[in-house]
Amino acid sequence: MARRFLYLFIVLQVLFSACSKVSTDQPLGDEPLVGEMEPLTFATYNVLKPSGRRTEMNMYNSTVHKALGKAIIETKADFIAFNELDETLIAGGDLSIPSVCKTIKDYDWDIAWPNDIKEDGSIKYSYANGFAYNKKKLKVEQCGYVWLSKEENQWYVKPSSAYEKVGSPERTCIWIKMTHIASKTQFWVFVTHLPTSSQGGAANMAYVVNNFAKSKAGDAPSILLGDMNSAPGSYAYRLLCRYWRDGNENDWGTMSGSSSSYYYPVTEYPVGNTEKRIDHIMTRGCTASDYRIIKTTYTGSDGKQWCPSDHLPVVATITIE
């Protein structure tokens, strides 16, 4: 009898020991614990389409083209927004951006989003937006774009409707619902390119972007990137800041572009020239830090150091709360 009790005691002790090694944070049968939400790096870059360049700065010059690729690579971004692309720069084009960024591994390039309309109401890619992202970290759940109205609080899905109603110049806003794969955290990204002050309509389109983002994302964490052509203090900028938080709100002096003469040496980029900070990274439900610009240059025929675009890439680290 004593041996039976001893045997039963040993069996129960073994079972208790085995059960005590199972994590109370992850009961048996549950899904594996997800990873933590890491800070992510976001960038935005207006690359200036080749047809807008001076001859000596043409993107068909391999030195200029390689410098553009280097500037993109040096952002080290998990997500990169692009403005002012054309048929030569999108995938399959003569100067395809992916072709000059081959050292960036595990990225998807979605860089053919229209921002212009032909007279017959069909789209063209002479002034396109786009984005690229690290597919090992991020997953696109849904994406699309709308045309922004220049004069009314409206946005349109069909190019034909936009051509009739939005007013020139046409502008779009890309929307992307994303998931951070490791943590399964979801957030929204919006990419746009607003008109210049001379073109008009930036303020109204800023208002439309705010309302459109709210209609899509609600209170979910969101990020807005792009060339807003709106410096701090401008009406369009102030409208954007009613809904978004400027990722560089504590340093208004960092310049991003563009220059009046284009392609000026990086040594001539002034600090404190607030009217030149027109490319923005803005957040809602997120915190941006380590805001910076990438000053990649190449040596021109005059021996000076020049930038591959009239804008500089803008980068920020974003923590999604």
Side-chain angles (χ1 to χ4, degrees):
M1 181 69 70
R3 289 181 178 178
R4 289 182 180 178
F5 278 115
L6 179 61
Y7 175 75
L8 180 61
F9 174 77
I10 293 172
V11 170
L12 290 172
Q13 190 175 37
V14 170
L15 289 173
F16 177 79
S17 176
C19 289
S20 66
K21 293 180 181 179
V22 177
S23 170
T24 56
D25 293 330
Q26 185 180 322
L28 289 174
D30 280 10
E31 292 290 328
L33 290 174
V34 297
E36 295 182 358
M37 180 66 204
E38 61 187 312
L40 297 170
T41 303
F42 285 78
T44 185
Y45 193 15
N46 182 320
V47 303
L48 183 62
K49 60 182 183 176
S51 60
R53 294 169 175 264
R54 296 209 319 248
T55 303
E56 65 271 26
M57 306 301 177
N58 196 289
M59 197 75 75
Y60 282 96
N61 179 334
S62 62
T63 301
V64 181
H65 193 218
K66 288 177 181 177
L68 178 72
K70 185 179 179 183
I72 294 168
I73 292 167
E74 289 183 347
T75 67
K76 299 179 181 178
D78 300 306
F79 183 101
I80 312 170
F82 293 101
N83 300 130
E84 214 162 326
L85 307 174
D86 68 3
E87 293 89 342
T88 63
L89 293 171
I90 64 179
D94 294 341
L95 302 169
S96 166
I97 287 178
S99 72
V100 79
C101 296
K102 291 180 180 178
T103 59
I104 301 181
K105 304 297 183 182
D106 303 314
Y107 273 65
D108 271 346
W109 299 85
D110 201 345
I111 52 175
W113 294 84
N115 207 30
D116 207 354
I117 310 174
K118 298 179 182 178
E119 291 185 5
D120 63 3
S122 61
I123 59 176
K124 56 182 178 179
Y125 298 95
S126 59
Y127 212 69
N129 297 318
F131 64 92
Y133 63 96
N134 186 337
K135 62 184 178 183
K136 281 198 169 182
K137 287 186 179 182
L138 303 172
K139 178 184 177 183
V140 172
E141 301 291 349
Q142 297 175 307
C143 62
Y145 74 101
V146 294
W147 300 87
L148 307 172
S149 175
K150 187 176 180 180
E151 298 178 352
E152 299 177 345
N153 181 28
Q154 297 287 338
W155 54 85
Y156 302 92
V157 175
K158 294 181 179 180
S160 56
S161 298
Y163 186 77
E164 295 174 2
K165 300 175 182 178
V166 300
S168 180
E170 298 89 10
R171 289 291 186 270
T172 60
C173 180
I174 304 172
W175 58 269
I176 312 122
K177 184 179 182 181
M178 306 199 81
T179 298
H180 178 252
I181 295 171
S183 67
K184 298 185 179 180
T185 301
Q186 291 192 333
F187 59 96
W188 293 75
V189 182
F190 299 87
V191 178
T192 194
H193 182 192
L194 299 184
T196 64
S197 57
S198 61
Q199 292 169 327
N204 192 78
M205 289 186 182
Y207 181 70
V208 176
V209 166
N210 290 352
N211 289 329
F212 173 69
K214 184 176 181 180
S215 73
K216 294 296 289 186
D219 294 327
S222 305
I223 300 139
L224 173 67
L225 307 102
D227 175 7
M228 309 301 172
N229 278 308
S230 305
S234 68
Y235 185 43
Y237 172 87
R238 287 183 280 119
L239 282 174
L240 288 169
C241 289
R242 289 182 184 179
Y243 187 76
W244 306 93
R245 182 176 180 179
D246 186 353
N248 193 34
E249 62 182 4
N250 295 320
D251 180 13
W252 280 18
T254 304
M255 197 189 84
S256 62
S258 66
S259 71
S260 58
S261 59
Y262 293 93
Y263 314 105
Y264 45 106
V266 70
T267 54
E268 295 178 12
Y269 276 66
V271 175
N273 198 353
T274 58
E275 72 271 15
K276 297 297 186 182
R277 190 166 78 79
I278 58 177
D279 302 271
H280 298 288
I281 298 176
M282 297 183 169
T283 64
R284 184 175 174 84
C286 322
T287 301
S289 61
D290 194 23
Y291 182 101
R292 55 202 182 276
I293 54 178
I294 305 298
K295 297 181 179 180
T296 301
T297 62
Y298 65 92
T299 304
S301 58
D302 56 4
K304 294 182 179 180
Q305 296 302 302
W306 297 85
C307 299
S309 178
D310 63 330
H311 291 244
L312 295 175
V314 178
V315 185
T317 300
I318 294 181
T319 302
I320 298 176
E321 300 161 357

